[in-house]
Amino acid sequence: MAAAFHFELCDLPRDEARALRSKVRNFLNDVSAGWTIADRARSWTAFDRDFSRQVGRHGWIGMTWPANYGGHERSALERYVVLEEMLAAGAPVAAHWIADRQSGPLILRVGTDEQKREFLPRIARGELAFCIGLSEPDSGSDLASLRSKATRISGGWRLDGAKIWTTNAHQSDFMIGLFRTAPASETARHIGLSQFLIDLKSSGIEIRPIADLTGESHFNEVRFDAVFVPDSMMVGREGDGWAQVNAELAFERSGPDRYLSAYPLVPPMLDAIGKTGFEAQAARDVGRLVARLATLRAMSISVAGMLQAGATPLQEAALIKDLGVDLEQDTPRLVEDLVGLPPAFDDPGGLAAATAYVTQVAPTFSLRGGTREIMRGLTARGLGLR
């Protein structure tokens, strides 16, 4: 039986990675003087346009894109170095993260020349924030069942329906949304789906932030009531949305953001343990944590290498997300057990407050990018079990 999953070992380019890592660390050291542990724990949800513009000026957004579209023509593995340094430092990346990771690569792959000239340079400069419109009320992550529809009208399309769990829609400039442009059949629910670039300032769009356990709102419900989108804003070919979205999700599910979300808790945890000495149980638990991180990193770099080669490793990416979420959700408990520090907000900016924040948002880790059930369905399919 052929192996269901392929994770060929892949190394980061040694000399280029070392020099690039040094530059990124120097930049982050300069800008992070005022960041508390709790600030760093908010890394990928912290929306800071000024920070994103600084990252853009350094050439660290759109790193792999062609220079004529504002990119910097570097490798996916060099980009990986920047991503893991940003997340390990707890940098506020939310204003450019989705556009750099998914929206820009999708436009580059299937967008028109007009779309590439219009959007990619502005994304690379850190000027545009994007969100992704996939999940829907009553459909969850079962994309094939989505009901939001696009109806052809003179000059373009009329959008009606709703998206939910849309990260940072209330702060973004554009959404790339998946809509039904033709009816599905009983045996082929995936047909008739298309993607559109949607200006979130368009008439007929209502964005409703959804408060989470922290009281903050990163997810949103976005409602569309007769929203007009011109023909020129369809992304890719009509009816190809399902294949395009699946290729896009390989980028979303395999990067270091799928196992480093809780990492900013780890260095201060080790510092706290170090002050009292590592007992045998603590050493074993920290060893297991390091082993899990190292394994996920090797798997994630392997997928980055496949993406660099033009492959679409959907099942490998799903496995990384599933295992990475387990680690991220375990980390706050590990801090409490090893440091003896219960999560609490009465220590503003400190490790207890950071742990309390991650404890409250951790349930969402298994929602973003597709639920755990979806990931395990993909894994089962890879094993030939469904």
Side-chain angles (χ1 to χ4, degrees):
M1 178 180 175
F5 297 90
H6 304 275
F7 287 101
E8 294 184 9
L9 290 178
C10 180
D11 291 327
L12 297 175
R14 181 180 296 273
D15 293 337
E16 295 92 332
R18 183 179 294 136
L20 179 58
R21 195 179 297 281
S22 176
K23 288 182 182 177
V24 179
R25 285 186 180 179
N26 288 339
F27 164 72
L28 291 170
N29 284 337
D30 288 342
V31 299
S32 66
W35 300 352
T36 66
I37 300 171
D39 290 335
R40 294 172 189 267
R42 286 168 165 77
S43 180
W44 80 277
T45 60
F47 198 97
D48 185 336
R49 287 185 184 267
D50 288 339
F51 177 81
S52 292
R53 290 191 182 97
Q54 291 185 63
V55 175
R57 284 195 289 273
H58 278 83
W60 296 330
I61 303 175
M63 288 181 67
T64 64
W65 306 347
N68 59 325
Y69 294 128
H72 304 281
E73 301 189 348
R74 304 189 75 160
S75 72
L77 297 176
E78 289 175 288
R79 178 175 178 269
Y80 195 96
V81 170
V82 174
L83 302 188
E84 64 179 358
E85 288 298 323
M86 292 282 174
L87 293 171
V93 299
H96 66 269
W97 197 254
I98 291 174
D100 181 44
R101 180 185 65 188
Q102 286 174 252
S103 308
L106 176 70
I107 293 170
L108 182 64
R109 192 172 66 255
V110 300
T112 64
D113 284 342
E114 178 187 352
Q115 291 168 356
K116 294 172 186 175
R117 289 194 301 270
E118 169 67 20
F119 292 104
L120 295 182
R122 297 166 69 192
I123 292 173
R125 292 195 297 267
E127 295 174 358
L128 286 184
F130 274 67
C131 62
I132 304 297
L134 294 177
S135 298
E136 296 190 355
D138 304 321
S139 295
S141 295
D142 181 11
L143 297 182
S145 68
L146 67 79
R147 292 180 294 184
S148 292
K149 64 180 182 180
T151 307
R152 186 179 285 281
I153 58 177
S154 177
W157 298 81
R158 167 183 164 146
L159 307 184
D160 292 281
K163 299 292 178 181
I164 200 167
W165 312 124
T166 309
T167 303
N168 288 330
H170 60 313
Q171 301 185 91
S172 295
D173 304 296
F174 286 87
M175 168 191 285
I176 294 184
L178 184 67
F179 287 77
R180 185 163 292 288
T181 47
S185 72
E186 287 294 324
T187 56
R189 296 190 303 150
H190 305 150
I191 67 170
L193 298 171
S194 305
Q195 288 182 290
F196 295 90
L197 271 159
I198 305 162
D199 186 338
L200 291 174
K201 296 187 295 297
S202 302
S203 175
I205 292 180
E206 181 184 4
I207 300 175
R208 301 173 178 174
I210 301 171
D212 59 27
L213 288 174
T214 68
E216 299 174 2
S217 301
H218 305 292
F219 289 133
N220 296 267
E221 180 177 4
V222 185
R223 304 195 70 83
F224 301 84
D225 182 9
V227 176
F228 175 74
V229 176
D231 278 326
S232 59
M233 290 297 102
M234 175 176 279
V235 185
R237 295 192 306 181
E238 183 179 346
D240 279 358
W242 179 260
Q244 292 173 189
V245 164
N246 276 287
E248 182 185 346
L249 288 174
F251 289 93
E252 182 177 358
R253 293 169 176 166
S254 62
D257 44 331
R258 291 309 177 222
Y259 64 93
L260 290 179
S261 298
Y263 182 80
L265 301 181
V266 174
M269 176 188 77
L270 296 177
D271 289 343
I273 298 171
K275 291 177 181 176
T276 58
F278 278 78
E279 297 180 354
Q281 184 60 50
R284 282 193 291 272
D285 289 343
V286 170
R288 291 191 186 96
L289 172 66
V290 172
R292 293 170 74 183
L293 280 168
T295 302
L296 283 162
R297 183 173 186 265
M299 295 168 69
S300 179
I301 292 174
S302 175
V303 169
M306 289 186 245
L307 293 172
Q308 168 82 7
T312 306
L314 274 180
Q315 289 160 349
E316 286 83 357
L319 190 59
I320 291 170
K321 181 180 183 291
D322 192 12
L323 297 174
V325 164
D326 286 345
L327 174 63
E328 292 175 326
Q329 293 182 334
D330 286 347
T331 301
R333 178 194 52 76
L334 192 63
V335 173
E336 183 175 1
D337 289 349
L338 295 182
V339 182
L341 184 67
F345 286 108
D346 57 4
D347 174 27
L351 180 57
T355 305
Y357 174 77
V358 176
T359 299
Q360 289 186 324
V361 299
T364 70
F365 294 167
S366 56
L367 294 175
R368 60 193 190 189
T371 64
R372 181 176 275 119
E373 289 74 19
I374 294 292
M375 298 305 106
R376 293 183 178 175
L378 287 167
T379 300
R381 185 171 295 127
L383 293 170
L385 300 176
R386 57 176 298 196

